[in-house]
Amino acid sequence: MNAVSIPIMKPFLGPEEQEAAAAAIASGWIAQGPRVREFEEAFAAHLGAAHSVAVSNCTTALHLALHVLGIGPGDEVVVPSLSFIATANAPRYVGATPVFADVDLATQNLDVESVGAVLTDRTRAVIVVDQGGMPADVDPLRAMCDRRGIHLIEDAACAIGSTYRGRPVAGAAHLAAFSFHPRKILTTGEGGMVVTDDEQLAARLRRLREHGMSVSAAERHATGGAPVLEQYLETGFNYRMTDIQAAVGLVQLGRLEGVVARRREIAARYQEGLGETEGTALPSDPAWGTTNYQSYAVLLTDDSASRDDVMVQLAAEGISTRRGIMASHLEPAFAGHSHVPLPVTERLTRHSLILPVFHEMTDAEQDRVIETFRRVLADQVTLTVSAR
Ligand SMILES: *Cc1c(COP(=O)(O)O)cnc(C)c1O
């Protein structure tokens, strides 16, 4: 008989979020309006960024970031294959070609040398990902991009609450994109944000997310009925966030510090409980920053242990895990897409798994994960050894 299962992740939402969403509905303004504006301002203030533009999700945020930089057919955009597939899809949305580079084994983030090796005359941008919340070492990449006159976009989908060189992530990129999907630590159901210090880019992003309109619906409403004739200045999109989502986001942003502190506490307990486990490499803060532990990815370093078998056995004991970060180049959507060898990416995607971390996880639940994981792994290694 199984004990109650332990999920991999659980969104942390309470009565405050319910009240905020209800208040937005009661206000009569539920599409993009004053709460979206307020959320954008609070988000920018949190990051220390000049401009924040709320959108429907991080995938549309990445699409708009490439679009607003004028990247299109014939252009190349360097991305890690080791990422959620939206990172690699984004260049295709604008007709550009994603070019895969390899990652660093310890941080799972783009390796600067690997990026340097795939730059060509057609490269127009690099998308660096803060994988699972782990801050990438962005300054050397930015310096490389600046020397070549290309743009650096940060896919910070998972990284709200992580820091780079003592400041919130995303400060060193031209544009950064965030996600508020329930799998991330700050959620609005669905939602995203594009962040930039460039005022002109921000103004155009605001227009592009709303059909290319010269005046937003909220601005028209604010004139109190006086007719405002809007114009459609270019081909835009409908990538808006709703005020109901923004109301939830404002509450979640207010909780962020406590949520990150709790995740770091859970990670410290994993370090304590699993640090001595042979055949594993655990995540930890890099020299240049702190992670929010959005994902706690463990690499199995002993080749005799099968990651998939470990996952199956943990599941049989009621413990949910996920395979490590996916590798986009191994998916059918990228079959036949040429790329340089990606040995570190392939090792990480095949041999790592993500352990449960959620705000309300109890010590007893975590102890069960630690004890079961250690036992299953030890069995795996012995089994394989005796089968030789
Ligand atoms: C989750 C995620 C995305 C996609 O975010 P959505 O808001 O679901 O579109 C993009 N990139 C990375 C690295 C992610 O983890």
Side-chain angles (χ1 to χ4, degrees), residues 259-278:
V259 165
V260 172
R262 177 71 190 120
R263 296 186 81 83
R264 291 181 58 81
E265 213 172 82
I266 293 170
R269 275 190 101 245
Y270 271 141
Q271 178 65 43
E272 210 174 286
L274 297 175
E276 307 287 296
T277 315
E278 257 177 71

Side-chain angles (χ1 to χ4, degrees), residues 56-71:
S56 48
N57 56 63
C58 183
T59 306
T60 53
L62 290 169
H63 178 193
L64 282 191
L66 291 166
H67 183 86
V68 81
L69 292 172
I71 293 166

Side-chain angles (χ1 to χ4, degrees), residues 247-382:
V248 172
L250 276 162
V251 178
Q252 290 261 297
L253 187 60
R255 283 186 198 284
L256 181 67
E257 204 179 317
V259 165
V260 172
R262 177 71 190 120
R263 296 186 81 83
R264 291 181 58 81
E265 213 172 82
I266 293 170
R269 275 190 101 245
Y270 271 141
Q271 178 65 43
E272 210 174 286
L274 297 175
E276 307 287 296
T277 315
E278 257 177 71
T280 60
L282 306 180
S284 62
D285 286 332
W288 50 80
T290 57
T291 169
N292 62 11
Y293 288 106
Q294 150 81 66
S295 287
Y296 194 88
V298 177
L299 175 66
L300 303 185
T301 52
D302 186 329
D303 286 345
S304 65
S306 150
R307 189 272 315 266
D308 293 351
D309 288 353
V310 169
M311 288 179 68
V312 167
Q313 288 183 45
L314 287 171
E317 302 210 29
I319 294 167
S320 309
T321 58
R322 293 282 180 278
R323 63 173 178 169
I325 308 300
M326 64 178 295
S328 304
H329 75 282
L330 299 177
E331 294 299 320
F334 285 93
H337 189 86
S338 72
H339 58 82
V340 296
L342 301 164
V344 183
T345 296
E346 290 181 7
R347 179 165 177 212
L348 283 166
T349 198
R350 291 193 174 124
H351 298 287
S352 46
L353 77 167
I354 294 170
L355 296 184
V357 179
F358 50 94
H359 191 82
E360 293 152 298
M361 191 177 200
T362 63
D363 285 357
E365 284 173 321
Q366 196 180 3
D367 289 344
R368 217 179 102 207
V369 177
I370 291 169
E371 180 272 317
T372 317
F373 180 71
R374 291 186 63 129
R375 177 163 44 76
V376 164
L377 198 67
D379 286 353
Q380 269 281 320
V381 175
T382 348

Side-chain angles (χ1 to χ4, degrees), residues 74-133:
D75 296 336
E76 293 177 354
V77 179
V78 178
V79 299
S81 165
L82 191 85
S83 184
F84 182 61
I85 199 159
T87 313
N89 281 341
R92 286 181 159 179
Y93 297 154
V94 295
T97 304
V99 174
F100 295 128
D102 211 356
V103 294
D104 167 67
L105 188 71
T107 64
Q108 309 202 51
N109 287 324
L110 270 185
D111 175 74
V112 185
E113 277 176 33
S114 177
V115 173
V118 297
L119 296 177
T120 73
D121 291 346
R122 294 179 156 196
T123 312
R124 294 281 316 280
V126 174
I127 303 181
V128 60
V129 179
D130 302 302
Q131 199 51 256

